Amino acid sequence: MTRLMPITIGDARIFVGRHHRHNRAPLGGLFAVSVQDDEGSTVGVAIVGRPVARGLCDGVTCEVTRVCTDGMANACSILYGAAARAARALGYRRLITYTLATEPGTSLRASGWTKDADVPARPTWSCPSRPCFQVDMFGNQTRPPGAKMRWVKVFGSTPSQAGITAPDGATGGPNAPADATGAQEAET
């Protein structure tokens, strides 16, 4: 039987450093949660922080920056679900995360997330105003260079109720009310 437990960001970072298969631990975060087994050993952690992409920092969005387990069945789904419940309880309206394009996202789908966008591969995150180093002192890649998928969990039944608007200012989707009475127009 697994159970959720709080964990400090520092201890979660240590777990990620020891167990994550392709990423280093994030430098910080807003909060972290862990899953423990029957013996009280940590078998997985999730770290939630502000969005890494500056364009998504709107004050109501946070990001699961890392989920890491030792392979225990369903631990990832439990962690994604717990992170979403905690973010919602703290007043966030949207939670995002990224996976490699080669990963199926099974745990995310199982915990109610939806695919939001395909993010093309970039050779580097470095730019003149913010130089970044993509390799460590031994020449090893410090992040996977491939394409990613962005996933989202929106708190509220529609994007407009969650305060999410499209870049052109439009809100909506199939669940958005068509008028002030809440009636929807029939699709033709």
Side-chain angles (χ1 to χ4, degrees), residues 33-188:
V33 63
S34 71
V35 172
Q36 293 184 349
D37 63 14
D38 292 334
E39 290 80 41
S41 297
T42 299
V43 296
V45 300
I47 302 173
V48 178
R50 294 181 316 144
V52 174
R54 290 184 282 178
L56 297 175
C57 289
D58 58 6
V60 295
T61 301
C62 57
E63 177 178 339
V64 177
T65 55
R66 206 69 82 238
V67 165
C68 177
T69 72
D70 67 357
M72 177 171 265
N74 301 319
C76 287
S77 297
I78 292 167
L79 289 164
Y80 280 121
R85 289 189 303 276
R88 183 177 191 168
L90 290 169
Y92 289 96
R93 294 182 180 161
R94 181 169 77 159
L95 183 60
I96 61 170
T97 195
Y98 295 84
T99 61
L100 297 176
T102 56
E103 297 173 323
T106 305
S107 295
L108 289 158
R109 290 183 210 283
S111 31
W113 293 61
T114 56
K115 185 177 166 189
D116 187 45
D118 290 310
V119 180
R122 291 176 63 172
T124 180
W125 290 105
S126 195
C127 64
S129 65
R130 185 189 29 80
C132 296
F133 299 96
Q134 306 295 135
V135 295
D136 64 17
M137 62 190 234
F138 303 108
N140 300 316
Q141 285 284 330
T142 57
R143 71 169 188 89
K148 312 262 187 313
M149 288 186 291
R150 184 172 62 227
W151 299 82
V152 65
K153 179 104 176 178
V154 176
F155 309 123
S157 61
T158 67
S160 60
Q161 288 174 339
I164 310 300
T165 58
D168 62 1
T171 59
N175 298 321
D179 57 29
T181 65
Q184 291 206 343
E185 293 179 13
E187 292 185 15
T188 57

Side-chain angles (χ1 to χ4, degrees), residues 9-21:
I9 291 172
D11 287 345
R13 290 184 71 240
I14 290 169
F15 187 91
V16 170
R18 290 182 181 155
H19 298 283
H20 204 283
R21 67 181 184 268

